[in-house]
Every structure is written in C-alpha cells, then in structure tokens.
Amino acid sequence: MAILRETGWAKINLALHIRARRADGYHEIETLFAFVDAGDAITAEVAGADRLILDGEFAEGLSDGADNLVLRVLALMRARHGADRVPPLDIRLTKTLPVAAGIGGGSADAAAMARLVRRHFLPEIGDAPLARLVAPLGADIAACVASATCLGTGVGEQLSAAPELALSGTPVLLVNPRQPVATGPVFAAWDGVDRGPLFTGADLRAQLFASRNDLQRPAIAQCPAIVDVLTELGALKPWLARMSGSGATCFALFDAPAERDAAAARLAASHPHWWHLAGALR
C-alpha cells in the first residue's frame, strides 16, 4: 500500500468564555473553534506491528509509546472495529507546531490519525460518529476531527455548526514566544467569575470584538511574555489579536494576505527567536 498522509491542522480559539467550574474539576465553556491551513504531518504504512517515530522541530521530549494520543486513537479504533479492519501501522509524526501552546497540537494529531484510519480502512464512518468515538481522549479532539469552524460547549466536546461565521480564507498569523504553558494550572487559576455568554448580534466583527478569552489573564500570570506577543501583534494592525486556548500562542487576523505577510516579515525581523506561522483559516 502507498504511504498514507494526513495533517493535524492547528486549532485556535477565536473566543473562549468560561461559564462555570464543574464538580469534577472540568469547566463549562463556550468557544468558537477555527483551524489554520497548516499543522503537524502524519505519514503511515501498513506494517507488521504498530510503531511511532517522532521528528520535527518540536518532537523532543514527546513520548513515542502507547500513551501518545496518536497510538491511543489507533488502538481505540482497532478495538472498536477489529484488527481485521485496522491493521498495524508504521507511523511518522512530524511536529511543526509547538507543544503546550493553546493550538491543540496533541488533539489535532489524534484527530488526524482518526481521519487517516477512517479514510483508508473505515470509510463508512461519518465525522459525527468519529468525533464521538475519540472525544473521551481529550476535550478538543472532537472539534479537531472536522477541523472546521464551529461552536463548542460543555467542556468543548459538544459541537454545533457556525455557518453564519464566514471565516474561510481569512489570513492569520500565529505567534508563540517559545514558552510552554500547561493547560491545567491555567484553568485552575480562573477566578470563577462568569462574564457572560458567547456572541450576541449579527455582525461577525462586532461579535468577535465583544468576545474574549477568559484564560488570557491567568495564562499571562504564568507566562508574562504573552503580553509582549499581544503588544507586538497589536502594533501590526490586524483587525483582531487574541490569545488562543490556554496560551501561549496568540493569533492575529488580517483583511488581506499581503498585510499578514508584511506583519510576519516585520515580526521575524524584530523577534527572530519567536515561533510564528502565517496561513489562512480553513
């Protein structure tokens, strides 16, 4: 069989409202997920046994064992549908997205593995059943299956379409100061104040301007460099700049690719040590 390929598209939270802390320690959220047209790369070949090889700029320190989400997804789909349908795979995961960065790297990779297996071995499975199957492995994985703009509620796994939010093709610049931020402590540091629901009104920009990321303040407390990133992005004149997820990656949205590219060039010159990715929303 030929080499099988899939991409773990970078996830961003255009808005992230925390509504309540649950008794189980998780949080009720309302978020607008969007996805960038770039991410980690997965290739695979049918083999005699499962194997995961990690490479790429951000592979160091990641586990290539059975606890890796990519292999956990493969094992879960094999357990559900049978070893006769889901064969052993020799997998290579090339990590181009920073880890612990608020852009769903692990979740995106897990979802990419699920799509790869589905496409080549279980084509009858739709996005919704596939999302339900893998959702227990991580709150963002369900949204990452389709990797399309959508609204997420619950802990992020309850998804609904957002067809009125015509964001496809929007130029975007992602920036990370190369400082990992652990998700758990940021959520734990949320102040418990419900600042209101996500989105009112019909105008997209007005909706986004009125929204927020409730994790931005606790993330900055752990990673003050986020302030520097947001300040630099604001100076580049996007129409929206905000932190994604639990940080530290921030994003900026532009009206035209040329504006994004000029901003990326200026940022690379002024902060060459920062990671950045120029792309467009899927």
Side-chain angles (χ1 to χ4, degrees):
M1 179 178 288
I3 295 177
L4 316 179
R5 302 179 187 276
E6 189 53 81
T7 301
W9 310 108
K11 176 263 323 177
I12 58 175
N13 301 87
L14 294 175
L16 177 54
H17 292 201
I18 312 298
R19 305 303 308 279
R21 182 176 285 116
R22 304 189 335 182
D24 61 6
Y26 289 93
H27 295 73
E28 292 289 331
I29 72 169
E30 297 175 358
T31 187
L32 177 61
F33 290 112
F35 293 85
V36 181
D37 60 355
D40 294 336
I42 291 181
T43 60
E45 296 180 273
V46 174
D50 290 333
R51 182 177 68 152
L52 176 62
I53 297 173
L54 297 169
D55 64 12
E57 182 179 0
F58 296 101
E60 185 176 356
L62 297 180
S63 170
D64 60 1
D67 58 333
N68 189 289
L69 278 172
V70 167
L71 290 178
R72 290 178 65 190
V73 163
L74 179 60
L76 177 63
M77 297 182 75
R78 183 178 294 134
R80 176 64 60 90
H81 296 282
D84 57 327
R85 298 202 62 194
V86 183
L89 295 176
D90 193 352
I91 305 161
R92 180 178 295 272
L93 170 60
T94 301
K95 289 293 298 180
T96 59
L97 301 177
V99 299
I103 51 176
S107 296
D109 297 340
M113 190 70 229
R115 291 195 304 272
L116 184 149
V117 171
R118 186 259 307 272
R119 178 180 296 115
H120 295 284
F121 306 110
L122 303 167
E124 73 278 7
I125 303 176
D127 276 352
L130 187 60
R132 287 194 296 270
L133 175 62
V134 299
L137 298 180
D140 287 349
I141 297 178
C144 291
V145 167
S147 287
T149 302
C150 62
L151 294 169
T153 57
V155 297
E157 87 292 3
Q158 298 174 22
L159 307 177
S160 57
E164 73 280 7
L165 302 177
L167 294 168
S168 178
T170 300
V172 60
L173 179 63
L174 303 185
V175 183
N176 185 285
R178 294 184 184 273
Q179 296 185 28
V181 176
T183 298
V186 172
F187 269 99
W190 174 60
D191 62 10
V193 176
D194 179 2
R195 293 175 171 84
L198 190 65
F199 300 129
T200 57
D203 180 75
L204 168 60
R205 294 199 184 195
Q207 291 175 18
L208 289 175
F209 293 153
S211 66
R212 60 191 186 271
N213 184 339
D214 286 330
L215 296 181
Q216 189 165 299
R217 182 174 297 179
I220 287 171
Q222 296 193 35
C223 180
I226 294 169
V227 174
D228 299 328
V229 173
L230 288 171
T231 299
E232 290 293 327
L233 285 177
L236 299 173
K237 306 302 183 183
W239 61 264
L240 182 70
R242 185 169 286 157
M243 188 188 82
S244 177
S246 56
T249 304
C250 302
F251 65 87
L253 302 181
F254 296 87
D255 285 314
E259 295 175 357
R260 175 205 60 207
D261 295 343
R266 287 180 55 189
L267 192 77
S270 62
H271 295 278
H273 57 293
W274 286 356
W275 174 87
H276 73 273
L277 172 66
L281 298 185
R282 285 168 47 82

